[in-house]
Amino acid sequence: MKVMGTRKVLVTGCSSGIGLAVAVRLAKDELKRFKVVATMRDLDRREALEKAAGESLNRSLEIRQLDATCEDSIRECVDSLSDRRVDVLVNNAGVGMIGPLECQSVSDMQDLFNTNFFGLVRLVKELLPDMKQRQSGHIVVMSSVMGIQGLLFNDVYAASKFAVEGFCESLAVQAMKFNVKMTLVEPGPVVTEFEKKVYEEAEKMDLSETDEETARIFRQIYLPYSRKIFNSIGQTPEDVAEQTLQLIGSKNPPFRHQTNRLYMPLTAMKHADPTGQLPIDAFYKMIFQHDRMFNATLSILRILHRRMGQGTA
């Protein structure tokens, strides 16, 4: 039974990382505003969520199976809810992919889009009509700064997030007419098992389909730089979850929200130059021409990150 004053929140991809952290944070909300339906594709991976949920399990948080790549699975999950009611959707399920384009199969790219983009489309198609009929709802989408700005060796992943952003930006106007809010949450680097797995697989990646120079850049420049960035300004899933809670609890949430203030100067370059050349030149010089400046900048950001974590910045 829906308790008066609470909102039903459906969260996808809750077996680990940001999805788990968001589901648990909402379920443990001090104001008891939410009833959370935490979903995952494989219920055999529910142990970490159950442990993190603690006393909120089966009280303010319930766990359901949902595969974002399967329309029947989505419909079955939604149909199992009282009145099919979902007040807030947090679309978080996603997969990653990094590496030289020549070394990635089109089939793997299609699988990524099937989860990252079409998974969102399937969920919105299922839930939006009910939200429109009720004239209320909030669709929260875990996007990425790579939905704003493409990055080296993240070609396909960035493309999927660009698709997500374009889809949501187009849909937001129609949704507003029906009093349905849409919010894109755009984290930068987040230290999760998801990211760890992606980079572990990259270390063992077969690079035989690309040229020696590209392979060298990927292994000797990109991967070490990525580690430095994660170590310097990487957020925790709990930090992203806390900000997501604030967005969902807001009466007037923004359409876009970047979770990492230290990353904002990099994405700001995208809007500073209408030709698009500024960020491309800046990233090229930072990676290939000014190694010392890059490392010095990261050292400064690391200090700022620690101060912000201590509440002094």
Side-chain angles (χ1 to χ4, degrees):
M1 181 178 294
K2 182 175 181 288
V3 178
M4 187 65 67
T6 64
R7 287 193 284 169
K8 180 84 75 172
V9 185
L10 178 73
V11 188
T12 66
C14 294
S15 61
S16 64
I18 293 174
L20 184 153
V22 169
V24 170
R25 183 66 187 92
L26 292 172
K28 294 184 177 182
D29 174 46
E30 294 81 358
L31 300 177
K32 302 185 185 303
R33 292 171 290 179
F34 311 108
K35 292 288 187 180
V36 179
V37 180
T39 71
M40 60 186 71
R41 182 174 58 84
D42 183 3
L43 288 178
D44 289 340
R45 299 184 61 198
R46 64 192 292 166
E47 185 177 351
L49 175 58
E50 289 177 333
K51 184 177 179 180
E55 293 184 358
S56 67
L57 184 64
N58 298 324
R59 293 182 179 179
S60 56
L61 183 146
E62 58 181 306
I63 301 174
R64 301 281 180 98
Q65 194 275 340
L66 185 151
D67 181 354
T69 67
C70 176
E71 289 182 55
D72 289 340
S73 173
I74 293 169
R75 186 166 297 114
E76 183 178 338
C77 180
V78 175
D79 284 346
S80 72
L81 305 177
S82 177
D83 299 325
R84 286 178 44 93
R85 187 180 185 98
V86 174
D87 299 296
V88 183
L89 166 66
V90 180
N91 182 87
N92 169 74
V95 294
M97 179 182 288
I98 58 174
L101 186 66
E102 308 95 306
C103 303
Q104 298 165 340
S105 71
V106 171
S107 175
D108 286 345
M109 298 177 197
Q110 290 171 330
D111 287 344
L112 180 143
F113 264 81
N114 197 27
T115 298
N116 292 10
F117 176 65
F118 289 107
L120 167 65
V121 172
R122 292 184 189 97
L123 281 155
V124 172
K125 276 192 69 179
E126 187 66 32
L127 295 174
L128 183 61
D130 291 338
M131 289 182 173
K132 288 164 71 174
Q133 187 174 19
R134 291 194 308 269
Q135 295 274 310
S136 70
H138 191 181
I139 296 171
V140 180
V141 180
M142 283 296 160
S143 183
S144 167
V145 291
M146 280 188 268
I148 305 172
Q149 191 169 60
L151 294 177
L152 181 69
F153 291 122
N154 283 269
D155 323 293
V156 179
Y157 180 76
S160 74
K161 292 302 183 179
F162 268 70
V164 163
E165 298 249 341
F167 172 76
C168 291
E169 191 168 286
S170 298
L171 197 59
V173 177
Q174 179 197 151
M176 185 183 292
K177 175 66 176 174
F178 294 89
N179 197 37
V180 176
K181 301 177 177 67
M182 296 194 74
T183 300
L184 287 161
V185 182
E186 299 166 330
V190 182
V191 183
T192 66
E193 287 299 316
F194 171 86
E195 299 290 350
K196 183 180 178 182
K197 182 180 178 182
V198 168
Y199 281 93
E200 283 178 351
E201 291 175 353
E203 295 278 3
K204 299 177 285 188
M205 190 175 187
D206 178 10
L207 300 178
S208 60
E209 293 298 314
T210 193
D211 58 275
E212 289 184 8
E213 178 63 5
T214 300
R216 184 192 70 81
I217 293 168
F218 180 64
R219 289 214 194 279
Q220 298 181 22
I221 298 178
Y222 171 77
L223 288 177
Y225 272 26
S226 293
R227 287 192 208 96
K228 291 177 182 177
I229 290 171
F230 271 87
N231 290 336
S232 298
I233 63 173
Q235 289 182 290
T236 65
E238 291 72 24
D239 187 10
V240 177
E242 184 63 38
Q243 294 186 49
T244 304
L245 170 71
Q246 300 304 320
L247 292 166
I248 293 173
S250 171
K251 290 184 178 180
N252 295 296
F255 175 65
R256 281 190 173 90
H257 175 78
Q258 290 186 49
T259 66
N260 195 327
R261 285 185 290 167
L262 293 176
Y263 206 93
M264 288 180 184
L266 298 177
T267 53
M269 289 190 292
K270 179 72 174 278
H271 304 290
D273 179 9
T275 72
Q277 198 61 44
L278 176 62
I280 294 173
D281 286 347
F283 277 106
Y284 179 86
K285 290 174 181 176
M286 196 161 51
I287 294 168
F288 295 115
Q289 295 181 354
H290 301 301
D291 179 73
R292 290 182 179 178
M293 183 180 296
F294 174 81
N295 287 317
T297 301
L298 283 183
S299 296
I300 294 170
L301 290 175
R302 189 180 298 115
I303 293 170
L304 289 173
H305 186 53
R306 286 172 181 167
R307 288 183 176 177
M308 287 169 64
Q310 295 166 358
T312 57

